[in-house]
């Protein structure tokens, strides 16, 4: 699925944020909307864009697209196991948070190896960002929910050989709402 009208405005807001900043490479998770956001951030610059599916959100399998109530109604036993151990229990045909974090950590390590000393933008999703933040802050993955990551937000870290500094978490660049028409209420 592509970006919504509001999602396009958020991508434009991110593009404005990065327009005056040095960017050496942009990595995205391989979904249509992350690629569209990566292209918006790149703009007219000659910056490589790399697709890396390891940056995708955890797969929710049979739960994909369902609300919390629908999951509990359709898969009560599976939901009870998942909610008792959200890190290690995967939804039916899905992926555990531990597995998602493992592939994201490998992608993170590879960024450091491939692009050391370069300014990298990763266009990804809330779960992968939360997993990286847990690692950087020495927090258990079970505490991932403590970092709110909104759609269209920016989290920035400075990586040095001996330390990582969190520059910002969940910053929402201002959108230009005049171009957006809010849907009519039913």
């Amino acid at each position: 699925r592509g970006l919504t009208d509001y999602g396009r405005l958020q991508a434009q807001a991110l593009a404005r944020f990065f327009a005056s900043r040095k960017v050496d490479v942009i990595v995205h998770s391989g979904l249509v909307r992350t690629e569209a956001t990566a292209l918006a951030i790149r703009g007219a610059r000659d910056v490589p864009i790399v697709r890396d599916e390891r940056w995708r959100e955890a797969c929710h399998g049979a739960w994909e697209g369902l609300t919390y109530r629908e999951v509990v109604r359709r898969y009560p036993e599976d939901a009870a196991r998942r909610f008792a151990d959200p890190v290690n229990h995967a939804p039916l045909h899905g992926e555990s948070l531990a597995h998602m974090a493992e592939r994201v950590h490998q992608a993170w390590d590879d960024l450091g190896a491939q692009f050391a000393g370069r300014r990298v933008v990763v266009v990804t999703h809330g779960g992968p960002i939360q997993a990286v933040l847990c690692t950087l802050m020495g927090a258990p993955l079970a505490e991932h929910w403590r970092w709110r990551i909104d759609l269209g937000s920016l989290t920035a870290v400075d990586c040095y050989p001996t330390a990582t500094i969190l520059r910002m978490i969940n910053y929402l660049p201002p959108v230009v709402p005049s171009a957006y028409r809010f849907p009519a209420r039913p």
Side-chain angles (χ1 to χ4, degrees):
R1 227 175 348 165
L3 292 169
T4 63
D5 290 342
Y6 192 72
R8 282 188 285 283
L9 290 175
Q10 289 177 307
Q12 292 168 6
L14 287 165
R16 283 190 301 277
F17 177 89
F18 283 107
S20 63
R21 289 168 171 84
K22 182 174 173 25
V23 174
D24 295 315
V25 65
I26 303 170
V27 177
H28 71 87
S29 71
L31 298 180
V32 171
R33 60 187 181 272
T34 59
E35 182 179 26
T37 303
L39 289 167
I41 291 168
R42 179 175 71 184
R45 293 183 277 202
D46 184 23
V47 173
I49 294 180
V50 177
R51 175 187 173 123
D52 186 343
E53 295 181 6
R54 295 176 298 174
W55 286 102
R56 285 193 180 177
E57 186 61 83
C59 173
H60 291 98
W63 297 11
E64 203 71 50
L66 300 179
T67 66
Y68 173 81
R69 287 183 182 173
E70 290 169 331
V71 166
V72 170
R73 189 178 76 247
R74 291 184 194 181
Y75 307 102
E77 293 167 12
D78 192 36
R81 285 191 299 274
R82 169 67 183 236
F83 300 138
D85 183 6
V87 171
N88 298 301
H89 184 78
L92 180 65
H93 308 302
E95 175 181 38
S96 70
L97 288 175
H99 184 265
M100 181 271 298
E102 181 180 313
R103 70 175 157 75
V104 167
H105 291 141
Q106 184 61 56
W108 176 261
D109 290 345
D110 288 350
L111 281 181
Q114 290 177 305
F115 306 116
R118 299 174 77 190
R119 293 179 186 249
V120 180
V121 173
V122 179
V123 183
T124 186
H125 312 273
I129 295 169
Q130 291 168 323
V132 169
L133 289 173
C134 284
T135 299
L136 295 177
M137 298 306 296
L141 186 57
E143 300 294 315
H144 71 282
W145 57 271
R146 292 188 179 271
W147 285 285
R148 180 182 173 119
I149 305 297
D150 290 309
L151 298 174
S153 69
L154 177 71
T155 295
V157 296
D158 295 338
C159 298
Y160 300 99
T162 59
T164 301
I165 299 170
L166 297 177
R167 182 172 291 274
M168 69 177 78
I169 298 173
N170 200 43
Y171 170 70
L172 287 163
V175 299
V176 179
S178 63
Y180 180 70
R181 291 194 181 128
F182 289 91
R185 291 186 182 235

